[in-house]
């Protein structure tokens, strides 16, 4: 019965288009369709490959049979198996005179071959011939093949014919010729650069289809170079006008919309041409206004055009009326039940808030709905929107939400992205340092293996450098809070390696700093880390270094050190470690334990991780020693330059290294760092990079150094942040003046906005009105959108719109402030006026390089301990640690995938409530604005 | 620009795959599998859009539509409009429906080259060429007519007799 049905179907198909296939092929398709497993399918396909291989070798295959074999080959390849044994037959088939066979041949080669395949050369000739064919279908088939098979070298072979075809009488051919030319332009712009005027000409083609096709290449050309197409603005506008006035043939209507795809393309082009151009924008505004009125928002395609209009308006310099129309369209999208439209609405909102930031407030509840939607795509889009509208007033809520989401997903790609966004926002807008550290901890805990290692270094640097030279107290509180949080976290199972490195470093540097925790407590924890992650050498290295620091600080402060038994066993284990790095660290630790207080203090002074390194490049401290040696008959040192002067060939080497810095060690010295403080005595053991690390790491050391320096813009922007956090909002004057202004005229605008609970209104007025809205949601809305007043963000592109918004929510807070004398949480680290930022201007890596360099020039005095015993002023910073870890990190093969622990994490509800409360108080913990209090107190 | 057109059934078997930039076979399979694994985990009644940068690189979006046993998938970059792409799928399906009168999965499987012919009329080298299904039909019919004419004598009787013989 089943078979009968199939046969009936076959017969029906035979009558439809003559693509009949043999039973064999039908059986193949059927058996593959019924295969229960991938293995079964593979078996079927492999036996099919065997059959085809045999059949293709047979002599005198009838052409019709051949055609079917080729279709079968295509089918096999679509299923993921190699059909290259039959490519040549497909190529042969393109030579056939029969149109059906030729088309099949072209179809197969376009699917099989890429433009650089060896067989292409056999096809170019055929294509040339076919382009000249009288049969326009043959020409079309050849043009189709061109798009896929012609590469830069073969373009000249077919170019003249394609250009000729631009004037072919059949519009189908003209259309495809334009597309082929466009393809050439994409592949190699230079080869067709003299022909782009043709696109302009074809824009005036009689056939709307050809005109529409021309818009594709023009869009590309215009996005590359806007200025040379400004003259076309009026043409595009008039075309769009004609289209909307239904001047095109009826056949271009789609769902009662006239040529919607052409409209969309035109709007995209107009967005390019109108951006930043007042004249062009004015010409466009008429037709855009028409479009808003005419678009049928009940069909999908009508909404597509509406969305494109919104996009266009967000790009050009729009007039207020258009903005209003766009805002209306967005609110329709957001209120719709369709997820697609909501998605477009969120996207449009994200574009429009760049121009008028206040538009988001009307839609806050819709946005929050989207955030809680089960649709992942919509959720992500909404996070993108939130990311765009983050400012210092809502950063906490947004980043908390992002982190919750980050914890909940498994998609590593997106996890990485959202983690880096969290880090970026936190670095830019963090209201306090504690918060920043908390956020970083969460990011590391849940996505530690995915974040860039520089983020870890920035965090360490932040903790080490603190936030102001004059307020050591705040710094030490910050460090204490970091240490406390790490001590809590450290016993969690399975922390990411990077996070453990940070934890170990911070505990080593500051664990015992203010005496709250005993050395034995901290060192016990560090030993636990080293034990628990015994397979991770980098973490172990960090832990041992941290132990060393702790003991050094103990010795230096004159206390007696009792090494815990587990530490002792750890050291002994590492003394025999296979890793030379770990071994060296262990030996150093052992040696250090035997030294007296003074020497230890010289090696590892307290809290000196961010002191500058003073490199004595001339090694003058060795002068006496050299003098002595020469006196006792040693040869004086001949510098490399002098030596290379004797052998011409060696001349090249320094230069070579200079020019190819990526794969070789650099031997020449960096310029001297500018000394920015008094020369420091040596302060830490130098963990000289071990040879083992070089061999393990995939990159040579110089690469990572160079890349580290080049990418310095990624690092934590401490100076900007500092100003942000410390200083009262610089908008104080504007915001206070606009408060009254807003109180007078602000409320009416919000009440007609539809969504009733704009946070700018006093709470009492909207709560009774919209009782059905979850108060939780409102609070979230308030915290997301309410604080727009204190927008002191760097990203502000809004310009004049910002001050006008004013401190909307502050008047509402006055009575509450009186009722509940809750103080805003004292911001420990709010340092008032920003202090001169003396971030160390030098690159520690440079110094490290210098250090390596000078010691190597010395002619083999690479004995680090020896240097120390000479009390060499060779010091190092934490960056040595981080450098090492970077090297070793890049060498680590298998990053551990970390299972997210959803049970962990903060109580969002509580956090949100608290946050909302703080905001309702009108007191922003981030900006203790003196003028605000003046307002409040009358 | 459109990067790829795919059709696959709800079991993840590819029914038609066309990539407008060359991809090696293994990569194609990987992408098809990747797309399917995302698609089949999507709940009902959610949006038809997907961010797919993890598979297709930056600035790539995906629009899909689920018809009976088939997923129609378009992958494209930022120069296209998502909603319009959704309608392009609609155009494609409408055209196929006209072609095969009540299109079903089997039609697509068995009329592989005709499928490509239709698709080539709509999307050409990654750009949307034609969006009126009537125009597409006209072109496709013209092709089939000519093709039929060029081998009507040799093909039809043979195939019919072939079936009878079974």
């Amino acid at each position: 019965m089943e078979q009968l049905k199939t046969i009936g179907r076959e017969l029906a198909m035979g009558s439809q288009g003559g693509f009949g296939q043999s039973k064999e092929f039908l059986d193949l398709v059927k058996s593959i369709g019924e295969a229960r497993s991938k293995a079964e399918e593979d078996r079927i396909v492999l036996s099919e490959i065997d059959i085809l291989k045999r059949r293709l070798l047979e002599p005198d295959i009838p052409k019709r049979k051949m055609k079917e074999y080729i279709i079968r080959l295509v089918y096999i390849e679509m299923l993921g198996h190699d059909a290259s044994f039959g490519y040549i037959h497909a190529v042969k088939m393109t030579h056939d005179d029969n149109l059906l066979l030729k088309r099949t041949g072209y179809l197969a080669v376009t699917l099989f071959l890429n433009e650089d395949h060896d067989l292409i050369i056999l096809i170019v000739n055929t294509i040339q011939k076919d382009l000249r064919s009288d049969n326009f279908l043959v020409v079309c088939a050849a043009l189709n093949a061109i798009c896929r098979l012609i590469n830069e070298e073969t373009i000249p072979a077919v170019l003249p014919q394609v250009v000729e075809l631009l004037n072919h009488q059949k519009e189908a051919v003209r259309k495809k010729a334009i597309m082929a030319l466009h393809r050439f332009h994409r592949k190699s712009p230079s080869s067709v650069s003299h022909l782009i005027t043709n696109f302009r000409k074809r824009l005036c083609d009689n056939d709307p289809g050809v005109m529409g096709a021309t818009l594709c290449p023009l869009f590309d050309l215009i996005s590359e170079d806007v200025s040379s197409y400004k003259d076309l603005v009026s043409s595009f506008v008039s075309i769009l006008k004609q289209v909307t006035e239904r001047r095109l043939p009826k056949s271009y209507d789609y769902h009662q919309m006239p040529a919607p795809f052409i409209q969309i393309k035109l709007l995209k082009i107009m967005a390019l041409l109108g951006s930043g151009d007042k004249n062009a924008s004015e010409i466009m505004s008429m037709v855009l206004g028409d479009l808003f009125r005419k678009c049928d928002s009940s069909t999908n395609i009508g909404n597509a055009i509406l969305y494109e209009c919104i996009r266009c308006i967000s790009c050009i310099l729009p007039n207020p009326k258009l903005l209003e129309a766009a805002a209306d369209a967005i609110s329709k999208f957001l209120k719709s039940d369709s997820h697609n439209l909501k998605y477009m609405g969120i996207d449009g909102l994200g574009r429009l808030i760049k121009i008028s930031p206040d538009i988001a407030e009307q839609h806050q509840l819709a946005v929050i709905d989207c955030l809680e939607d089960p649709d992942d795509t919509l959720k992500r889009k909404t996070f993108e929107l939130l990311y765009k509208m983050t400012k210092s007033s809502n950063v906490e809520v947004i980043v908390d939400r992002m982190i919750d989401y980050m914890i909940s997903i498994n998609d590593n790609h997106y996890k990485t992205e959202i983690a880096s966004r969290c880090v970026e926002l936190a670095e830019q807008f963090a209201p306090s340092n504690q918060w920043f550290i908390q956020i970083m901890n969460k990011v590391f805990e849940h996505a530690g293996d995915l974040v860039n290692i520089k983020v870890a270094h920035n965090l360490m640097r932040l903790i080490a450098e603190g936030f102001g030279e004059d307020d050591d107290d705040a710094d030490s509180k910050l460090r204490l809070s970091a240490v406390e949080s790490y001590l809590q976290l450290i016993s969690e199972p399975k922390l990411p390696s990077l996070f453990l490195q940070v934890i170990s470093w911070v505990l080593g540097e500051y664990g015992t700093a203010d005496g709250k925790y005993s050395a034995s407590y901290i060192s016990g924890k560090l030993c636990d880390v080293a034990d628990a992650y015994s397979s991770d050498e980098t973490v172990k290295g960090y832990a041992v270094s941290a132990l060393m620091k702790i003991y050094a600080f103990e010795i230096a402060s004159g206390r007696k050190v009792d090494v815990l038994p587990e530490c002792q066993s750890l050291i002994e284990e590492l003394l025999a470690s296979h890793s030379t790095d770990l071994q060296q660290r262990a030996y150093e630790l052992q040696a250090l334990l035997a030294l007296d207080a003074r020497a230890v203090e010289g090696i590892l002074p307290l809290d000196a991780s961010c002191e500058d390194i003073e490199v004595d490049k001339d090694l003058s401290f060795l002068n006496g020693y050299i003098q002595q040696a020469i006196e006792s008959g040693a040869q004086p040192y001949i510098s490399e330059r002098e030596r290379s002067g004797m052998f011409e060939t060696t001349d090249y080497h320094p230069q070579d290294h200079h020019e190819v810095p990526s794969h070789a060690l650099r031997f020449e010295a960096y310029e001297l760092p500018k000394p920015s403080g008094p020369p420091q005595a040596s302060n830490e053991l130098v963990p000289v990079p071990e040879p083992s690390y070089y061999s393990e790491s995939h990159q040579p050391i110089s690469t990572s150094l160079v890349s580290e320096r080049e990418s310095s813009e990624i690092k934590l922007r401490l100076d900007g942040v500092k100003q942000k956090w410390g200083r009262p909002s610089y908008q104080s004057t504007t915001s206070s003046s606009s408060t009254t202004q807003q109180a007078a005229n602000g409320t009416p605008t919000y009440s007609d906005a539809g969504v009733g609970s704009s946070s700018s209104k006093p709470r009492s007025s909207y709560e009774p009105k919209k009782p059905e809205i979850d108060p939780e949601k409102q609070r979230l809305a308030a915290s997301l959108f309410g604080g727009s007043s204190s927008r002191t963000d760097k990203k502000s592109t809004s310009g004049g719109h910002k001050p006008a918004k004013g401190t909307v929510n502050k008047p509402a807070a006055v009575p509450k402030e009186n009722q509940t004398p809750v103080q805003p949480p004292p911001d420990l680290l709010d340092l008032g006026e920003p202090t001169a930022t003396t971030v160390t201007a030098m690159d520690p890596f440079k110094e490290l390089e210098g250090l390596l360099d000078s010691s190597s020039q010395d002619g083999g005095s690479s004995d680090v301990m020896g240097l120390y015993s000479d009390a060499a002023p060779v010091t190092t910073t934490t960056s040595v640690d981080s450098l090492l870890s970077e090297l070793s990190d890049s060498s680590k093969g298998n990053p551990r995938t970390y299972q997210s622990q959803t049970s962990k994490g903060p109580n969002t509800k509580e956090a949100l409530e608290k946050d909302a409360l703080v905001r309702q108080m009108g007191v922003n913990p981030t900006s203790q604005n003196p003028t605000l209090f003046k307002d409040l107190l009358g | 620009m459109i990067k790829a057109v795919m059709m696959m059934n709800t079991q993840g078997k590819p029914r038609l795959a066309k990539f407008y930039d060359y991809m090696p076979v293994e990569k194609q399979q990987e992408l098809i599998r990747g797309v399917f694994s995302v698609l089949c985990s999507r709940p009902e009644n959610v949006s038809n859009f997907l961010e797919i940068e993890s598979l297709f690189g930056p600035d790539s979006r995906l629009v899909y539509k689920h018809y009976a046993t088939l997923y129609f998938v378009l992958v494209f970059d930022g120069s296209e409009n998502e909603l319009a792409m959704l309608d392009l799928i609609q155009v494609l399906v409408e055209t196929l429906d006209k072609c095969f009168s009540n299109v079903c999965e089997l039609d697509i499987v068995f009329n592989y080259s005709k499928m490509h012919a239709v698709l080539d009329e709509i999307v050409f080298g990654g750009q949307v060429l034609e969006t009126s299904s009537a125009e597409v039909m006209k072109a496709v019919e013209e092709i089939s007519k000519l093709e039929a004419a060029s081998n009507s004598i040799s093909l039809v009787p043979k195939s019919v007799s072939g079936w009878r013989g079974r």
Side-chain angles (χ1 to χ4, degrees):
Chain A
M1 192 62 204
E2 184 60 33
Q3 199 164 13
L4 268 178
K5 263 190 205 157
T6 322
I7 292 170
R9 188 118 217 146
E10 282 167 34
L11 281 168
M13 279 183 286
S15 65
Q16 273 167 18
F19 296 100
Q21 267 101 26
S22 74
K23 173 152 183 347
E24 245 179 12
F25 182 47
L26 295 175
D27 284 347
L28 169 71
V29 172
K30 220 171 130 209
S31 58
I32 285 174
E34 284 160 3
R36 290 217 184 75
S37 66
K38 182 77 186 141
E40 197 182 339
E41 184 190 301
D42 283 350
R43 218 177 44 241
I44 296 167
V45 175
L46 286 176
S47 74
E48 170 73 9
I49 288 175
D50 273 350
I51 295 172
L52 283 176
K53 269 185 185 163
R54 253 184 291 121
R55 293 278 172 82
L56 286 172
L57 287 177
E58 287 169 10
D60 300 328
I61 307 168
K63 281 180 177 168
R64 198 188 142 271
K65 264 251 159 340
M66 192 54 153
K67 173 183 160 271
E68 194 197 290
Y69 291 154
I70 284 175
I71 296 288
R72 279 155 80 169
L73 285 173
V74 175
Y75 192 76
I76 286 168
E77 198 158 283
M78 187 182 74
L79 293 173
H81 294 263
D82 179 38
S84 55
F85 60 90
Y87 287 178
I88 187 69
H89 297 280
V91 171
K92 262 196 246 163
M93 190 158 274
T94 60
H95 305 329
D96 204 286
D97 290 330
N98 181 313
L99 178 66
L100 177 61
L101 296 181
K102 188 184 270 299
R103 283 182 58 89
T104 309
Y106 273 133
L107 170 68
V109 287
T110 51
L111 290 171
F112 285 151
L113 306 181
N114 70 340
E115 55 187 38
D116 300 321
H117 199 279
D118 294 339
L119 293 174
I120 294 290
I121 204 72
L122 298 174
I123 303 173
V124 172
N125 208 0
T126 322
I127 290 178
Q128 278 180 324
K129 206 179 84 212
D130 289 344
L131 285 177
R132 273 186 242 112
S133 166
D134 295 333
N135 187 337
F136 83 99
L137 286 173
V138 173
V139 179
C140 285
L143 282 172
N144 204 353
I146 278 179
C147 284
R148 189 53 192 276
L149 302 176
I150 295 293
N151 67 8
E152 206 171 337
E153 285 157 36
T154 38
I155 285 175
V158 293
L159 191 56
Q161 281 143 11
V162 172
V163 173
E164 233 169 82
L165 290 173
L166 287 174
N167 297 311
H168 197 274
Q169 50 177 2
K170 276 272 185 190
E171 67 277 353
V173 176
R174 291 205 297 273
K175 214 155 52 173
K176 287 180 179 167
I178 285 171
M179 291 303 201
L181 209 55
H182 180 202
R183 192 76 179 173
F184 294 163
H185 178 76
R186 279 189 164 229
K187 285 226 168 93
S188 142
S190 58
S191 65
V192 291
S193 56
H194 57 291
L195 294 168
I196 47 181
T197 46
N198 280 301
F199 293 134
R200 280 165 175 266
K201 261 188 247 158
R202 284 297 125 212
L203 194 60
C204 317
D205 198 285
N206 292 328
D207 185 75
V210 180
M211 186 273 295
T214 318
L215 296 176
C216 299
L218 281 175
F219 175 77
D220 271 15
L221 287 169
I222 293 172
S223 47
E224 280 159 23
D225 173 22
V226 179
S227 54
S228 27
Y229 292 89
K230 289 282 186 195
D231 56 309
L232 288 178
V233 171
S234 51
S235 321
F236 288 129
V237 170
S238 80
I239 294 173
L240 183 56
K241 216 168 168 179
Q242 288 175 37
V243 173
T244 53
E245 285 165 3
R246 297 183 181 274
R247 302 263 190 87
L248 292 191
K250 261 265 174 265
S251 65
Y252 285 89
D253 281 12
Y254 173 80
H255 292 190
Q256 282 89 50
M257 288 298 286
F261 289 88
I262 292 180
Q263 288 192 40
I264 287 169
K265 218 61 228 190
L266 281 168
L267 284 166
K268 282 201 183 283
I269 291 176
M270 279 161 52
L272 289 175
L273 285 170
S275 86
D277 185 334
K278 204 159 176 4
N279 277 337
S281 305
E282 271 165 22
I283 302 172
M284 291 168 194
S285 58
M286 254 288 275
V287 72
L288 284 173
D290 279 352
L291 271 176
F292 272 117
R293 253 175 286 123
K294 282 186 186 163
C295 263
D296 170 19
S297 56
S298 63
T299 61
N300 189 43
I301 195 72
N303 286 319
I305 295 176
L306 273 180
Y307 166 76
E308 214 49 59
C309 288
I310 295 169
R311 230 187 90 135
C312 183
I313 284 169
S314 71
C315 291
I316 66 173
L317 299 172
N319 62 30
K321 246 177 127 180
L322 280 182
L323 271 180
E324 211 176 285
D328 283 351
I330 285 179
S331 71
K332 260 186 225 154
F333 282 174
L334 287 174
K335 279 177 203 152
S336 136
D337 288 332
S338 151
H339 281 86
N340 291 345
L341 289 186
K342 278 187 186 164
Y343 177 91
M344 297 319 260
I346 294 282
D347 188 89
L349 200 57
R351 292 175 190 280
L352 223 56
I353 51 167
K354 281 189 217 142
I355 314 174
S356 60
D358 43 338
I359 180 181
E361 275 175 33
Q362 308 166 22
H363 304 300
Q364 35 187 307
L365 288 179
V367 171
I368 288 160
D369 278 338
C370 291
L371 203 57
E372 276 152 15
D373 200 274
D375 185 351
D376 236 24
T377 316
L378 190 55
K379 219 181 232 173
R380 289 179 188 188
K381 198 81 199 171
T382 315
F383 274 117
E384 208 180 299
L385 171 71
L386 291 183
Y387 168 75
K388 281 183 196 157
M389 48 182 256
T390 306
K391 49 210 166 194
S392 42
S393 59
N394 58 15
V395 62
E396 290 162 78
V397 193
I398 290 179
V399 172
D400 279 349
R401 281 256 155 178
M402 281 183 165
I403 286 179
D404 286 347
Y405 183 63
M406 183 186 83
I407 294 169
S408 73
I409 55 174
N410 291 320
D411 173 0
N412 269 358
H413 178 84
Y414 194 69
K415 214 172 190 166
T416 314
E417 192 179 307
I418 201 162
S420 71
R421 282 188 169 174
C422 285
V423 171
E424 192 192 322
L425 291 178
E427 287 179 354
Q428 235 176 354
F429 300 114
S432 73
N433 300 322
Q434 260 108 345
W435 181 84
F436 180 76
I437 287 174
Q438 273 171 21
I439 291 299
M440 291 317 237
N441 288 352
K442 275 188 216 160
V443 171
F444 277 120
E445 197 183 338
H446 298 288
D449 294 320
L450 303 171
V451 294
N452 192 320
I453 192 159
K454 293 196 186 70
V455 175
H457 298 165
N458 284 337
L459 179 60
M460 288 192 261
R461 186 182 309 178
L462 179 91
I463 294 173
E465 287 180 347
F467 296 92
E469 303 292 311
D470 57 344
D471 198 347
D472 288 342
D473 199 33
D475 285 356
S476 59
K477 272 183 187 153
L478 169 75
R479 286 166 192 158
L480 180 61
S481 76
V483 167
E484 276 171 350
S485 67
Y486 291 154
L487 284 175
Q488 268 173 23
L489 279 168
I490 201 168
S491 38
E492 295 288 331
K494 286 229 161 241
L495 290 172
S497 165
L498 198 57
F499 191 34
L500 283 165
Q501 294 165 25
V502 176
I503 290 178
S504 304
W505 186 85
V506 172
L507 288 185
E509 200 74 26
Y510 302 111
T512 55
D514 59 357
K516 186 167 173 194
Y517 298 102
S518 71
S520 63
Y521 178 69
I522 301 279
S523 55
K525 289 282 184 193
L526 287 167
C527 283
D528 290 346
V529 169
D531 280 341
Y533 300 89
S534 53
S535 56
D536 189 337
E537 288 188 2
T538 321
V539 169
K540 260 180 163 173
Y542 267 89
V544 174
S545 290
L547 279 175
M548 184 152 56
K549 284 182 211 156
I550 298 225
Y551 290 134
F553 299 154
E554 286 299 290
I555 295 170
S557 60
R559 280 185 288 260
K560 184 159 166 5
V561 176
D562 348 283
V563 179
L564 294 177
E566 63 253 46
C567 289
Q568 197 59 53
S569 63
L570 177 73
I571 294 169
E572 270 153 28
E573 180 204 321
L574 293 184
L575 284 176
S577 168
H578 287 300
S579 157
T580 43
D581 173 62
L582 288 179
Q583 213 177 15
Q584 175 167 0
R585 284 176 202 253
Y587 271 112
E588 284 170 3
L589 174 52
Q590 209 180 32
L592 180 126
L593 288 173
L595 293 173
D596 66 14
R598 224 178 53 79
V600 169
E601 198 174 14
I603 299 167
L604 282 170
L606 195 60
D607 188 21
S609 59
C610 44
E611 303 294 350
D612 303 331
I613 319 170
E614 192 63 23
V615 180
D616 186 352
K617 199 186 154 205
D618 299 329
L619 304 180
S620 55
F621 56 91
L622 289 172
N623 282 352
Y625 177 77
I626 292 168
Q627 201 58 38
Q628 219 177 358
I630 290 177
E631 271 167 17
S632 59
Q635 286 282 318
Y637 174 70
I638 306 167
S639 75
E640 198 192 354
R641 199 168 302 150
E642 284 169 60
R643 265 182 289 147
S644 57
M646 301 172 196
F647 309 102
E648 269 197 17
T649 46
T650 53
D651 237 7
Y652 290 104
H653 288 292
Q655 275 174 2
D656 283 354
H657 286 301
H658 199 70
E659 281 159 13
V660 197
S662 52
H663 289 294
L665 280 170
R666 297 180 59 168
F667 291 103
E668 74 278 17
Y670 282 100
E671 66 267 37
L672 265 178
K674 291 189 181 69
S676 59
Q680 286 298 313
S682 63
N683 58 1
E684 198 172 323
L685 282 177
V686 189
V688 168
E690 295 291 331
S692 69
Y693 270 117
Y694 289 120
S695 57
E696 273 171 34
S697 68
H698 300 311
Q699 289 176 302
I701 184 166
S702 55
T703 330
S704 55
L705 287 173
V706 169
S707 67
E708 173 70 21
R709 293 178 62 212
E710 277 170 358
S711 58
S712 59
E713 70 269 16
I714 308 168
K715 75 181 174 196
L716 184 53
R717 277 163 271 181
L718 279 173
D719 32 4
V721 173
K722 205 172 283 178
Q723 285 166 4
K724 200 116 286 172
W725 298 349
R727 176 169 63 177
S729 160
Y730 58 74
Q731 284 189 330
S732 52
T733 46
T734 51
S735 61
S736 63
S737 66
S738 61
T739 308
T740 45
Q741 196 188 326
Q742 199 67 28
N745 63 8
T747 330
T749 32
Y750 289 114
S751 51
D752 64 19
V755 188
S757 60
S758 151
S759 67
S760 54
K761 283 197 258 171
R763 274 182 73 81
S764 53
S765 75
Y766 66 74
E767 244 171 339
K769 251 164 105 183
K770 289 252 173 186
E772 74 279 12
I773 293 169
D774 185 7
E776 187 67 28
K777 222 177 248 182
Q778 281 178 345
R779 265 184 231 119
L780 178 61
S783 48
L784 280 178
F785 298 88
S788 55
S789 50
S790 54
R791 193 184 161 102
T792 54
D793 50 338
K794 283 184 200 162
K795 296 200 293 185
S796 85
T797 50
S798 49
H801 296 277
K802 224 169 43 182
K805 289 175 48 57
T807 49
V808 180
N809 56 350
K810 280 172 187 171
V814 176
K816 290 205 175 174
E817 176 77 349
N818 293 339
Q819 289 163 12
T820 46
V822 179
Q823 289 292 317
D827 191 346
L828 295 172
L829 298 148
D830 199 335
L831 306 172
E833 279 300 312
T835 49
T837 51
T838 39
V839 181
T840 42
M842 60 205 312
D843 187 343
F845 290 100
K846 233 187 240 176
E847 293 158 40
L848 172 67
E849 185 102 291
L851 173 68
L852 290 171
D853 185 48
S854 54
S855 58
S856 65
Q857 269 186 5
D858 185 47
S861 83
S862 53
D863 182 356
V864 182
M865 294 310 278
L867 278 175
Y868 283 112
S869 56
D870 278 341
V874 182
T875 60
T876 188
T877 64
T878 56
S879 56
V880 177
D881 278 340
S882 41
L883 170 68
L884 281 175
S885 65
E886 184 162 28
L887 284 170
S888 54
D889 250 42
S890 66
S891 71
K892 265 191 313 194
N894 48 345
R896 225 179 300 131
T897 43
Y898 182 67
Q899 290 295 314
S900 61
Q901 304 163 306
T902 35
S903 59
K904 283 265 312 147
N907 186 338
T908 350
K909 197 176 155 191
E910 253 175 48
L912 287 175
E913 276 171 3
K914 203 175 109 201
D915 192 83
L917 179 67
V918 172
R919 252 149 256 283
Q920 280 151 24
M921 304 306 293
V923 185
N924 208 329
T926 61
S927 56
Q928 289 165 347
N929 187 340
T931 51
L932 167 71
F933 289 112
K934 218 193 283 171
D935 269 3
L936 290 174
L937 303 171
Chain B
M1 154 167 186
I2 294 171
K3 297 184 178 179
V5 180
M6 295 176 210
M7 295 175 201
M8 55 185 90
N9 71 3
T10 38
Q11 275 121 50
K13 285 196 201 305
R15 289 311 188 192
L16 183 137
K18 190 153 181 147
F19 294 82
Y20 289 95
D21 287 317
Y22 177 77
M23 301 265 178
V25 183
E26 304 79 46
K27 181 80 184 158
Q28 290 186 16
Q29 289 304 306
E30 193 192 314
L31 291 174
I32 292 171
R33 272 197 303 273
V35 167
F36 177 71
S37 70
V38 183
L39 287 187
C40 65
S41 63
R42 299 268 300 167
E44 296 274 324
N45 300 325
V46 292
S47 66
N48 299 78
F49 311 137
L50 269 179
E51 269 158 36
I52 198 84
E53 295 189 353
S54 52
L55 286 175
F56 284 88
D59 193 29
S60 45
R61 300 110 189 263
L62 181 150
V63 165
Y64 72 97
K65 210 156 182 185
H66 188 176
Y67 289 97
T69 56
L70 279 177
Y71 285 114
F72 286 75
V73 179
L74 279 183
V75 184
F76 51 94
D77 67 11
S79 67
E80 309 285 346
N81 175 318
E82 278 101 337
L83 286 173
M85 286 297 115
L86 197 57
D87 264 315
L88 196 68
I89 295 181
Q90 183 70 32
V91 171
L92 177 63
V93 175
E94 272 175 24
T95 315
L96 293 179
D97 210 40
K98 281 180 194 161
C99 253
F100 301 114
S101 50
N102 273 332
V103 66
C104 72
E105 195 182 333
L106 273 179
D107 294 317
I108 290 166
V109 178
F110 291 130
N111 295 287
Y112 201 69
S113 53
K114 190 163 188 172
M115 286 296 300
H116 276 284
V118 171
L119 190 58
D120 284 346
E121 286 302 315
I122 296 175
V123 182
F124 189 88
Q127 301 289 343
V128 181
L129 181 73
E130 183 55 71
T131 47
S132 142
S133 67
E135 291 283 318
V136 177
M137 275 305 292
K138 225 162 64 189
V140 173
E141 264 162 20
E142 214 155 350
I143 294 168
S144 353
K145 222 189 294 166
L146 275 174
E147 283 177 344
S150 65
N151 56 119
S152 55
I153 308 133
S154 65
L155 282 185
V156 177
K158 205 171 178 183
S159 57
V160 170
S161 66
W163 284 323
R164 289 230 180 91
R166 255 188 270 154

